[in-house]
Structures are given as structure tokens and as C-alpha cells.
DNA sequence: TTGCTCCTCACGTCACGTGAGGTGGC
DNA sequence: TTGCTCCTCACGTCACGTGAGGTGGC
């Protein structure tokens, strides 16, 4: 039989953790007449199962259920842990580049760009594939306008109809949105792909249309002629 | 400019997280006259840096420092993450065996044994190598007694001196400790190695001595002759 | 005017850690 | 008898989540 401190040292856990496990009824030691905890070797076996299950990232309440015979939560962790490992691998790769390189700040920036792009891609795919959920899209009228301009670019970019479409584009767009689009060079990596997906098109097609529309913008101060 | 909900959807974080980041002064958006948050595209860039640094497992307060120009915490994470990956690899390997096998309970038990052993080994090495800290040992007199008996086993196991040593061994050992040693077959894997290290010897030598000493034990009820 | 969104407390969660203040055992 | 260990609250930490109760904007 061990006192709580002896037992904690033996198993390399903290006294606080042992008390915590008792509160959750995960590991309940014997008590002396003076109410001091006394741990036995059998408690050590149980603790080792707890510590092992903890390496799977299981919550303590779930660990209790597993020790009570419900093994289901254990294999269910596999997918989560593999996902976690994939993220961890990427983080480690990035840190190694950062540690090994001459300019940590620049390397960090590169990784921020890269991982932001991945996040956007994942988000886009998740949203596109979520069952029962329509993909994010701009409004129908704006989408129609975008498609009309896109079509005009391969037809008659300088015709009267196209001018009309471009005017409509600018008139129906909030000034702040327009300002944001103007500054698209500063957008985080991947945002462009997301925005393009809002228009149900590729980043290249979106860029082509926006570049054209901006080039046709009337100066804000002078009236158009 | 985006409302908090628009911005949260755009970046795939929760509204609660954004408010939390503001409380920590990690990401402070503009406010409308009616005190509603308004996020700009520049906020998105900053958020992406936050989310990326979060993948390194950095605390939010540290992330704030990093964004303020202190890059030191970043490379410092590498060792921790690599350690984490090693544990994760072991957990995943175990889960794959558990998922793939016929008897999850048995596979789990095996892994518990294995990881318990590893934990004991690590603990033993850590304690042995900690600078300025003597390895865990039993008391000097008990250690001397153990060594004397060990030596006697290769000399004269049945001599009068050896009997005397064994008697002393039993007399100076607490009944509970003796009981625990008797049940050593049920000890968790690795505990044996740790106990042996307390006697500054190998598990095999320890087992040899203990087996001998137990075989020479006087029955508790009858007086020795 | 309805209802949707936004706001600010305040408290909860998870796995412990950190004292405070007091008692027990060698 | 001293001091070391043990005990039980109660509150803190970290990164948010969960309501409650109320206001603002289209």
C-alpha cells in the first residue's frame, strides 16, 4: 500500500491528477481510518490503463466507460488521430524549414500562405459536398450579370451591350465591396478561389472578368462620355 | 467590411472564437456607431496568421507576441511537436491493430502492457539521468543486505550465515511490502524493472534473490527450526 | 412591425494546478 | 513537540461554448 505521494512518484503522475481521477470515480483508492488515501498494486494496473487510454485522446469520462467494458470509443478514435497526425506532420515540416532557414519570418509567411490556401480549399470542398446544403453563391442577378459579361468577353467586349452590363455591374455593387475587389492583390491565398466559387467559376475566369470590368470603370469624379 | 457572422463563415471559425480573440487583443475589428463589429480584409490576413500559428500548438497569448514581432517561440515548438508525433504514431499503430484484430479487448491489453513498459523505462532513465539527483534507491542497509544475499547465492546458499541474512531480510521488511512482493506475478509490466533499479541490479538478479528468499521463508504460524 | 442579428455579462467545460487553512502521523 | 504529509474547499487556467436578457438594423 502506498500513500498518495508515494504512488504518484511510482507512477509518474501528480498528486493532483490522482485526486482528480478519484473525484471522477476513475480510480478510487482505499482510505485509512484517518481518511488518508492508500493505493494498492491493483490500483497501479488500473492507472496504467487510464494513462494508456489517455494517449488516444479519450476524455476521462469516456475512459471510465471503457474500463467498465464499453470498448466502442476506442477504435472510433483512429480517424481523428490520423487527421491530427496529418496536421502535425505539416506543422513539423514547416517548423523544420523555419528552423533550418536563414529568415524565419519569411519562412513563416510562406507557410501561412500555404496553410491558408489549404484551409480555403478544404472549406470550399466541405461546403460543396455537404449533403442538403447548397454551395455558397452570390445572388442570382449578380451571377447572371457575371455570366453575361464573361460571355461578352469572347464576343463583343467593346459593344454597346457590354458597356451597359459593365455599368450595371458597377451600379449594383457596394462601394466597399468594389474597394475590396480592387485590393484583391493583397487577399490571402485561397480567398480568390473561394470568391471564384461564389460565382461558380474558376479563379482564372473570375480574374479575367474582374480585370476587364475594372479597366472599363468610369472615373469616379468625371462624368462618363 | 464584414459583420462578425459573415467574417466567421468566410474564415470558417466560430463567432465565439472571434469575440474571444478580440478580448485577448489578438484581432481587434472596427466598430460601427452602434458598437457592432466590422471586419476588413486586413483582419482576414491577421486571422490567417493566428490560425496558422495555432497549428503549432502555441497559446494565444504567445501568438500575440509572435504577431508583435517576437519570433522566438516558433522554432522552440519543434522539439515538442516531434515528441507529440512520436506518441501519436504509437497510439495510431495500436489503434490499427485494435481495429484490424478479432479481439479488441485483448489487443488493448497488449498495448497497455507495452506502453506501461515504455513509460517505466522512460521514467527510470529520466530519474537516472537527472542532473543533481540521485537515482531512486532503497535504504543503504537494505541494499547491503540484498547484495550480501546475492553473493551468498553463488557461494554457500545453505550455510548458517545465509540463514541469518534471510532472517534479517524478513524481519526488516514491512508485512505489506512482503505481501506485495509475493504477488509480483501480477505487477504491471515494467514495475519489475523499476523495483530492480531500486536495488541497483537487473530484473533477473532481483528475481533470483527474491525467489530464494521467499523459498527460505519461515511459515508465519509455526516457529522456525 | 416582425424577426434576424448583434451586443454584453456570467457561468460552464475539460483536465487538472494553485493556494488557503487546517488536521494527522511519525 | 516539531515538521512533514495529508486533507478538503474554493478558485484559477486555457480556449472557447452556452445560454440569458436585451438592443439595433433592415
Amino acid at each position: 500500500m502506498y500513500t498518495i505521494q508515494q504512488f504518484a512518484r511510482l507512477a509518474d503522475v501528480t498528486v493532483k491528477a490522482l485526486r482528480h481521477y478519484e473525484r471522477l470515480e476513475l480510480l478510487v483508492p482505499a482510505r485509512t481510518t484517518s481518511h488518508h488515501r492508500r493505493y494498492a498494486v491493483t490500483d497501479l494496473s488500473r492507472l496504467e490503463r487510464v494513462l494508456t487510454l489517455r494517449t488516444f485522446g479519450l476524455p476521462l469520462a469516456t475512459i471510465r466507460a471503457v474500463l467498465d467494458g464499453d470498448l466502442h470509443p476506442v477504435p472510433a478514435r483512429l480517424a481523428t488521430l490520423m487527421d491530427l497526425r496529418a496536421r502535425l506532420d505539416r506543422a513539423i515540416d514547416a517548423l523544420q524549414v523555419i528552423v533550418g532557414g536563414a529568415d524565419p519570418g519569411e519562412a513563416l509567411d510562406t507557410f501561412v500562405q500555404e496553410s491558408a490556401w489549404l484551409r480555403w480549399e478544404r472549406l470550399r470542398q466541405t461546403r460543396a459536398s455537404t449533403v442538403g446544403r447548397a454551395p455558397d453563391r452570390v445572388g442570382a442577378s449578380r451571377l447572371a450579370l457575371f455570366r453575361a459579361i464573361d460571355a461578352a468577353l469572347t464576343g463583343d467586349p467593346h459593344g454597346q451591350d457590354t458597356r451597359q452590363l459593365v455599368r450595371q455591374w458597377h451600379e449594383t455593387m457596394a462601394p466597399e465591396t468594389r474597394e475590396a475587389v480592387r485590393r484583391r492583390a493583397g487577399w490571402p491565398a485561397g480567398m480568390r478561389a473561394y470568391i471564384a466559387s461564389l460565382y461558380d467559376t474558376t479563379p482564372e475566369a473570375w480574374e479575367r472578368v474582374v480585370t476587364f470590368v475594372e479597366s472599363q470603370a468610369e472615373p469616379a469624379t468625371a462624368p462618363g462620355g
Side-chain angles (χ1 to χ4, degrees), chain A residues 13 40 48 95 135 143-144 159 176 206:
Chain A
V13 296
E48 307 222 299
L95 282 178
L143 187 55
E176 288 182 346
W206 183 83

Side-chain angles (χ1 to χ4, degrees), chain A residues 3 6 19 33 38 66 68 76 145 182 208 224:
Chain A
T3 68
Q6 289 167 349
R19 289 208 260 258
T33 46
R38 281 299 124 88
V66 173
D68 285 350
L145 190 55
R182 267 207 201 101
R208 193 173 60 231

